[in-house]
Amino acid sequence: GEDVEQSLFLSVREGDSSVINCTYTDSSSTYLYWYKQEPGAGLQLLTYIFSNMDMKQDQRLTVLLNKKDKHLSLRIADTQTGDSAIYFCAETSGSARQLTFGSGTQLTVLP
Amino acid sequence: KAGVTQTPRYLIKTRGQQVTLSCSPISGHRSVSWYQQTPGQGLQFLFEYFSETQRNKGNFPGRFSGRQFSNSRSEMNVSTLELGDSALYLCASSLYNEQFFGPGTRLTVL
């Protein structure tokens, strides 16, 4: 089946920028999403991008999409300790709403 | 606007029992999807309901079933529970392209 891959861990210093990367295999992906999960909680939708876009910015968050390489990234500017969480990349394909998730990246923000 | 609510939040069952989980979507949202989250398999899609009809189904055995009511609330049922069914079950509601998740139901099977 289709696959979404992410690196497992990322550590950054407070105030630095974080970049979380994701690759996917489905060439018919329509929307790509970033979710945040804190311990014991559900998934919080951070942002999403339509597959014909290259970039989307939303306050401290910047999403970059390279459709040719099937590569998605999430940049968090001025990372804070409250940003420590697991970040999931996900995609939908065609008209289906079924989300296919990556394994998640554990972001640790060091003081 | 109230978010997605799921009940109960925690549940402990024994093998062989059955369980029913409930999800109330955001007001006005007609699509409800269910996902299972485990440390080993990650987040996996179970099924999606739209206007009381199952529109899509993931690769889970028939012990996993669901339904949706006319008010868009949804339930999922797992029969003959196995130890491997221990997981966080997440419900998501959507109107268009955004999918919003509830806090989940943590099911432990002993």
Side-chain angles (χ1 to χ4, degrees), chain A residues 35 43 45, chain B residues 3-4 26 29 91-95 98-102:
Chain A
Y35 283 89
L43 300 174
L45 176 63
Chain B
V4 179
I26 294 169
H29 288 196
C91 162
S93 91
S94 65
L95 183 59
E98 298 169 310
Q99 294 195 40
F100 300 96
F101 282 79

Side-chain angles (χ1 to χ4, degrees), chain B residues 6 14 25-26 28 31 40-42 45 53 67 69 81 89-90 94-95 102 105:
Chain B
Q6 292 188 244
T14 56
I26 294 169
S31 170
Q41 299 298 316
F45 171 78
T53 301
R67 60 178 174 168
F69 302 95
L81 284 166
Y89 290 88
L90 293 160
S94 65
L95 183 59
T105 294

Side-chain angles (χ1 to χ4, degrees), chain A residues 8 16-17 35 49 54 59 62 74 87 89 92 99 109:
Chain A
L8 291 180
D16 288 349
S17 291
Y35 283 89
I49 188 169
D54 297 325
Q59 299 182 331
T62 302
L74 174 70
Y87 290 79
C89 166
T92 56
L99 288 161
V109 183

